[in-house]
Amino acid sequence: MRGEDELRAAFQHKAAEAPRAADVLRAVRAREAAPRVRRRWLVPAAAFGSIAVAVGIPLAIALSHPSNEKKGSAGGPQPETAAAGPRVPESSAAAGGQAPRTTGVPICRATDVTVTLRGAVLTVTSRGAACELARVPAVGLAGRPVPKPHGQFGVLAAGTTATATLQGRSRCAALAGPLQVDWGAGPVRVSGATTLPSCLPVGAVQASAFTGLH
Amino acid sequence: MTFDEFAATRLDAVLRFAVVLTNDRGLAEDVVQEVLIRSHQRWAKIGALEHPEAYVRRMVVNEFLSWRRKWARYVPQADVEPMMGQTTQADHADAQAERATLLAEVAKLPRRQRAVLVLRYYEGLSDAQIADVLGCAETTVRGYAFRGLAALRIELTSAELT
């Protein structure tokens, strides 16, 4: 049988392996400084996005309305039978388990938008006409299967920006490779600087709902 | 006490406690970093306490008890000291090996049992103080200690028995 003093001695010996306080404090200072830098950029970006949405949505509706009339029947938004039609067939969307889309606006292709990733914020900016994104995109690490997005779609008005926040379920070192995002048009590779872990298993990265969609 | 004063005078002790508690130098550093960042944000209140170190130590314990849900990749490993190439006396080598084995067995204990043993045999806290840190009853603390010591095959020499 062992004695309590052996346990005390073992603990005292283990305590000698502690890191230096100065090193830990330096790391704390660095971490405290870093988030403030990122937030400094996020606030103006969020403000710009809000203004763009407030101005862009009415403008997009006004611009899209005449083109809908040209496509066929008069009056009101058209269902999926619009002449231009959705670029992704409804059958494939339904087969992927997505909620049916009723606006007639096509799903955004990778060439219709600019996608950026900074930190944990995914930003999708319209480069042309209004198009649709799944409100909650599916996210996965590059080289691994990305699940299909589920749920409703929202309209990204022309010239506007939508953002979503990525979340990981564990903490590790910084990500060393690109992500893939699927908003309904298939996985799109996104490169950028992110602070998400690199050691996540499949399905452990998830995105919040996009803000900025109509 | 300001945060900088606390860091200059007490952080070393907190880090040593964290290493003993987690049995992993890297994990101890991460736990203490998290605690320092959170406590720094609330230091106006913590610094005004009579014993800020005790409060910070409680934060370290709570962070350790909850870390599995957050940091799944950390698998605590006992640091087995290499015996190859060391020119030590046979008795000293045996003591080192026994100490390494004991620490490895401590690392396998359930987290709360480990916390109780560290707070009792490293920090020297009473069962009442340990109960205050863990937010449980003294009888619960004694139960954790009894089971932990039994698993380690440690014979109690003190009068405190469950």
Side-chain angles (χ1 to χ4, degrees), chain A residues 1-4 7-8 10-11 13-15 17-19 21 24-25 27 29 31-32 170-172, chain B residues 4 12 16 19-20 23 25 33-34 40 71 73 79 81 98-99 105 121-122 152-153 155-158:
Chain A
M1 288 289 282
R2 295 159 167 154
E4 293 172 295
L7 187 58
R8 290 189 182 93
F11 285 157
H13 184 82
K14 186 67 183 179
E17 298 177 12
V24 173
L25 198 57
R29 300 292 190 198
R31 284 182 59 186
E32 287 178 331
S170 63
R171 291 181 40 169
C172 307
Chain B
D4 289 339
D12 276 318
R16 287 193 294 270
V19 165
V20 176
N23 198 50
R25 188 176 188 274
Q33 274 191 33
E34 283 296 313
H40 194 190
W71 296 329
R73 82 175 181 115
D79 291 332
E81 297 172 6
E98 171 56 22
R99 186 170 55 232
E105 292 177 13
Y121 293 105
Y122 178 72
L152 298 174
R153 303 185 309 280
E155 185 177 17
L156 283 173
T157 55
S158 61

Side-chain angles (χ1 to χ4, degrees), chain B residues 6-133:
Chain B
F6 175 83
T9 58
R10 305 309 307 163
L11 183 54
D12 276 318
V14 173
L15 284 166
R16 287 193 294 270
F17 167 70
V19 165
V20 176
L21 182 66
T22 62
N23 198 50
D24 184 289
R25 188 176 188 274
L27 178 57
E29 188 168 342
D30 277 6
V31 167
V32 172
Q33 274 191 33
E34 283 296 313
V35 167
L36 287 178
I37 288 173
R38 292 211 312 270
S39 63
H40 194 190
Q41 295 169 352
R42 295 152 33 198
W43 196 257
K45 292 184 179 178
I46 297 175
L49 296 173
E50 187 177 356
H51 301 290
E53 183 183 351
Y55 189 88
V56 172
R57 183 175 54 214
R58 184 186 303 181
M59 291 179 71
V60 169
V61 172
N62 289 332
E63 187 72 17
F64 167 67
L65 292 177
S66 67
W67 66 252
R68 171 174 282 185
R69 291 191 291 276
K70 293 192 295 184
W71 296 329
R73 82 175 181 115
Y74 280 100
V75 179
Q77 298 286 345
D79 291 332
V80 179
E81 297 172 6
M83 300 303 297
M84 298 294 291
Q86 291 189 2
T87 55
T88 58
Q89 298 287 337
D91 290 344
H92 185 52
D94 287 342
Q96 277 188 317
E98 171 56 22
R99 186 170 55 232
T101 302
L102 179 56
L103 289 172
E105 292 177 13
V106 170
K108 294 176 186 175
L109 293 176
R111 218 160 271 108
R112 284 189 173 263
Q113 288 182 20
R114 194 196 314 183
V116 166
L117 295 184
V118 171
L119 289 167
R120 182 191 272 191
Y121 293 105
Y122 178 72
E123 290 288 334
L125 300 187
S126 67
D127 287 350
Q129 291 171 316
I130 296 173
D132 186 51
V133 170

Side-chain angles (χ1 to χ4, degrees), chain A residues 15 23 34 44 48 58 65-66 74-75 79 105 120 137 149 152 179:
Chain A
D23 295 339
F48 176 78
H65 185 66
V105 176
Q152 300 294 324
L179 291 180

Side-chain angles (χ1 to χ4, degrees), chain A residues 1-211:
Chain A
M1 288 289 282
R2 295 159 167 154
E4 293 172 295
D5 287 342
E6 290 181 65
L7 187 58
R8 290 189 182 93
F11 285 157
Q12 290 293 335
H13 184 82
K14 186 67 183 179
E17 298 177 12
R20 294 195 323 147
D23 295 339
V24 173
L25 198 57
R26 194 176 308 118
V28 167
R29 300 292 190 198
R31 284 182 59 186
E32 287 178 331
R36 283 198 293 270
V37 173
R38 286 200 286 272
R39 282 196 290 270
R40 206 174 295 154
W41 285 104
L42 277 177
V43 170
F48 176 78
S50 302
I51 293 171
V53 167
V55 172
I57 288 177
L59 188 61
I61 293 173
L63 290 175
S64 63
H65 185 66
S67 63
N68 280 340
E69 289 180 341
K70 289 177 188 174
K71 285 172 187 171
S73 310
Q78 299 300 310
E80 299 81 44
T81 54
R87 294 189 184 108
V88 175
E90 281 302 312
S91 58
S92 67
Q98 298 165 347
R101 296 166 45 245
T102 58
T103 64
V105 176
I107 294 179
C108 303
R109 297 172 300 182
T111 52
D112 294 332
V113 297
T114 302
V115 185
T116 58
L117 178 64
R118 179 178 292 173
V121 179
L122 178 72
T123 302
V124 179
T125 302
S126 167
R127 298 173 61 183
C131 55
E132 281 198 334
L133 303 171
R135 289 196 179 273
V136 181
V139 182
L141 298 176
R144 298 178 183 174
V146 179
K148 289 283 185 186
H150 295 277
Q152 300 294 324
F153 278 72
V155 175
L156 180 69
T160 62
T161 297
T163 59
T165 302
L166 304 184
Q167 301 154 344
R169 292 184 194 159
S170 63
R171 291 181 40 169
C172 307
L175 187 65
L179 291 180
Q180 297 185 90
V181 180
D182 187 351
W183 56 72
V188 175
R189 201 176 180 90
V190 180
S191 297
T194 180
T195 55
L196 287 181
S198 63
C199 53
L200 295 174
V202 173
V205 180
Q206 55 192 10
S208 68
F210 274 121
T211 59

